[in-house]
Amino acid sequence: MAYRAVLFIDGNNWFHSLKDLGSVHLGRLDYRKLSLKLVGPRQWIATRYYIGRVPQSGDTKLYADQRRFLAKLDADPLISTHLGRLEPRSVNNAAAQELRTYLASLNTKIDRGVYQELMDLAKRHNKSTVFVEKAVDVMLATDLVIMAERDCFDAAYLLSADGDFTPAVEHVRSLGKKVYAVSAATGAKLASAVHSFIRLPATWFDVCYD
């Protein structure tokens, strides 16, 4: 009997690793094809995609895009989505601060009105809002461990390069399960904990599009 395999996808880490490749058509990826190719001769049991939920009250286009993407994933009976949350955080805008410093130390005289407009612009954008993903990594790590303890799989494919998953991976391996990390990025800490770290080039995805 083929080994039972489950894919655990760290959505944010996975997305950015593929985006950095520059030549992967993210919107056209077929996660059924991707899953089947990755597990090879093993029996594909499930693919679980973990991501922070985009709030409806924020960027409406981003919200709609995510809803369509998640609906496409959930349409496959072997693929499920698991949502954490995105929390807004106010952070200093490095570019605005650098502009203020530059203007304050400028030796060349410029028009007073232009100078003031640039200073006002820097002040207005001194703070910016970013969204921080919360609970997603904890949810994935918990599910990975619980499913291993319940003997839901023989092999886990962790689609991430995040070293924070190392303790969970080590525990799962102590239960006799195989764990493979998969990413387009590098991850030395995680690579040292898994059975194998599978580094994917852009060409690997050529047969994984819809």
Side-chain angles (χ1 to χ4, degrees), residues 2 19 23 28 35 50 55 68 71 96 124 135 165 175 178:
K19 190 175 180 181
S23 55
R28 291 180 48 224
S35 299
Y50 297 78
R68 281 192 295 270
R124 286 198 304 272
F165 289 115
L175 300 173
K178 293 186 179 297

Coordinates of all heavy atoms in Angstrom, one line a residue, residues 2 19 23 28 35 50 55 68 71 96 124 135 165 175 178:
A2 N 0.5 2.2 -0.8 CA 1.3 3.5 -0.9 C 1.2 4.2 0.4 O 0.2 4.2 1.1 CB 0.8 4.3 -2.1
K19 N 6.6 34.1 -5.7 CA 6.6 35.4 -6.3 C 8.0 35.8 -6.6 O 8.3 36.5 -7.6 CB 5.9 36.4 -5.4 CG 5.7 37.8 -6.0 CD 4.9 38.7 -5.1 CE 4.7 40.0 -5.7 NZ 3.9 40.9 -4.8
S23 N 8.7 33.9 -12.4 CA 8.1 33.3 -13.7 C 7.1 32.2 -13.4 O 6.8 31.4 -14.3 CB 9.3 32.7 -14.5 OG 10.0 31.8 -13.7
R28 N -2.8 30.8 -12.0 CA -3.2 29.7 -12.8 C -2.7 28.3 -12.2 O -3.0 27.3 -12.7 CB -2.6 29.8 -14.2 CG -3.1 30.9 -15.0 CD -2.5 30.9 -16.4 NE -2.5 29.6 -17.0 CZ -1.4 29.1 -17.6 NH1 -0.3 29.8 -17.7 NH2 -1.4 27.9 -18.1
S35 N -0.3 18.9 -6.2 CA -0.2 17.9 -5.1 C 0.2 16.5 -5.6 O 1.0 15.8 -5.0 CB -1.6 17.9 -4.4 OG -1.9 19.1 -3.8
Y50 N -3.2 27.1 4.5 CA -3.3 28.0 5.7 C -2.9 29.5 5.3 O -1.9 29.7 4.8 CB -2.4 27.6 6.8 CG -2.8 26.2 7.4 CD1 -2.4 25.0 6.7 CD2 -3.5 26.0 8.5 CE1 -2.7 23.8 7.2 CE2 -3.8 24.8 9.0 CZ -3.4 23.6 8.3 OH -3.7 22.4 8.8
P55 N -9.6 41.1 5.6 CA -10.8 41.7 6.1 C -11.7 42.3 5.0 O -11.1 43.0 4.1 CB -10.4 42.7 7.1 CG -9.0 43.1 6.7 CD -8.4 41.8 6.1
R68 N -12.1 34.5 -4.3 CA -12.2 33.7 -5.5 C -11.1 32.6 -5.4 O -11.4 31.4 -5.8 CB -11.9 34.6 -6.7 CG -13.1 35.3 -7.2 CD -12.9 35.9 -8.5 NE -11.9 36.9 -8.5 CZ -12.1 38.2 -8.3 NH1 -13.3 38.7 -8.0 NH2 -11.1 39.1 -8.3
A71 N -12.3 29.9 -2.9 CA -13.4 29.2 -3.4 C -12.9 28.1 -4.4 O -13.4 27.0 -4.4 CB -14.4 30.1 -4.0
A96 N 9.7 58.0 4.3 CA 9.3 59.3 4.7 C 10.3 59.9 5.7 O 10.7 61.1 5.6 CB 7.9 59.3 5.4
R124 N 3.0 63.7 6.5 CA 1.7 63.0 6.3 C 1.9 61.5 6.2 O 1.0 60.7 6.6 CB 1.0 63.5 5.1 CG 0.4 64.9 5.2 CD -0.6 65.1 4.1 NE -0.1 65.0 2.8 CZ 0.5 66.0 2.1 NH1 0.7 67.2 2.7 NH2 0.9 65.7 0.9
A135 N -1.9 33.8 14.1 CA -2.5 32.5 14.4 C -2.3 31.4 13.3 O -2.6 30.2 13.5 CB -4.0 32.6 14.7
F165 N 8.8 26.2 12.2 CA 8.1 25.0 12.2 C 9.0 23.8 12.7 O 8.6 22.7 12.9 CB 7.6 24.6 10.9 CG 6.4 25.5 10.4 CD1 6.6 26.3 9.3 CD2 5.2 25.4 11.1 CE1 5.5 27.1 8.9 CE2 4.2 26.3 10.7 CZ 4.3 27.1 9.6
L175 N 7.5 10.5 16.0 CA 6.4 9.5 15.9 C 6.5 8.5 14.8 O 5.6 7.7 14.5 CB 5.0 10.3 15.7 CG 4.7 11.3 16.9 CD1 3.4 12.1 16.5 CD2 4.5 10.6 18.2
K178 N 7.4 10.7 8.2 CA 8.3 11.4 7.3 C 7.8 12.8 7.1 O 6.6 13.0 6.9 CB 8.5 10.6 6.0 CG 9.2 9.3 6.1 CD 9.5 8.7 4.8 CE 10.2 7.3 4.9 NZ 11.5 7.4 5.6

